[in-house]
């Protein structure tokens, strides 16, 4: 992740998933509140699958990804399960705070990497369209 905040990250006090708009609202104990898209969370998942071994994988085709469940892990993180089956990232409070406070820069870097690697945000299959073979 990019810029680390000085001192410990504040604890998360509230999470609200807005499924229709695919937004997770995160509120921290310092009173700050941020809206993170499900796509942002998915492409920046802190999982080994995404981060690899020092060579982060470019995650593509996640524009319409959504969250199916959020499970607390102790008092320091949540496990987020996405509707594409991804479920291995533990989103600790510092990870969520970093994503929230640096999301503009992280998103611009993601879009630049997509362009450079000729990737796409668009889903491979539009799940809303029904096939009538």
């Amino acid at each position: 992740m990019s810029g680390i905040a000085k001192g410990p990250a504040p604890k998360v006090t509230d999470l609200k998933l807005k499924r229709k708009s695919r937004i997770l609202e995160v509120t921290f104990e310092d009173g700050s509140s941020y809206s993170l898209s499900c796509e942002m969370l998915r492409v920046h998942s802190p999982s080994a699958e995404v981060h690899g071994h020092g060579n982060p994988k470019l995650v593509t085709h996640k524009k319409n990804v959504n969250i199916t469940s959020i499970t607390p892990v102790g008092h320091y993180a949540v496990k987020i399960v996405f509707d594409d089956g991804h479920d291995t990232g533990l989103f600790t409070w510092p990870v969520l705070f970093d994503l929230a406070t640096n999301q503009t820069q992280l998103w611009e870097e993601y879009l630049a990497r997509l362009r450079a690697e000729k990737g796409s945000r668009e889903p491979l299959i539009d799940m809303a369209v029904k096939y009538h073979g």
Side-chain angles (χ1 to χ4, degrees):
M1 301 283 155
S2 54
I4 302 295
K6 292 181 175 120
K11 292 178 183 162
V12 171
T13 57
D14 194 30
L15 293 171
K16 287 185 185 151
L17 177 60
K18 298 189 169 188
R19 286 189 195 272
K20 284 188 179 178
S21 56
R22 294 188 283 276
I23 296 290
L24 181 65
E25 289 184 351
V26 184
T27 304
F28 295 93
E29 67 183 349
D30 66 357
S32 61
S33 185
Y34 299 89
S35 296
L36 292 164
S37 72
C38 293
E39 181 183 12
M40 172 81 172
L41 291 163
R42 176 61 180 89
V43 303
H44 287 94
S45 170
S47 70
E49 174 190 329
V50 172
H51 286 277
H53 300 284
N55 186 19
K57 176 183 173 193
L58 177 63
V59 179
T60 58
H61 309 294
K62 301 300 176 190
K63 184 176 181 180
N64 295 333
V65 75
N66 212 333
I67 292 172
T68 57
S69 70
I70 302 170
T71 307
V73 177
H75 296 287
Y76 66 93
V78 287
K79 177 181 177 179
I80 297 177
V81 177
F82 295 89
D83 63 5
D84 66 352
H86 182 73
D87 66 354
T88 58
L90 269 190
F91 289 81
T92 62
W93 302 160
V95 166
L96 283 171
F97 192 71
D98 184 52
L99 286 173
T101 57
N102 295 296
Q103 67 179 308
T104 300
Q105 176 187 345
L106 290 168
W107 190 248
E108 287 172 5
E109 290 169 0
Y110 171 71
L111 293 177
R113 189 167 173 212
L114 267 180
R115 284 189 299 274
E117 298 186 29
K118 301 200 183 343
S120 174
R121 294 176 54 218
E122 296 302 320
L124 290 174
I125 299 171
D126 185 352
M127 300 307 278
V129 176
K130 304 241 188 297
Y131 179 71
H132 299 289

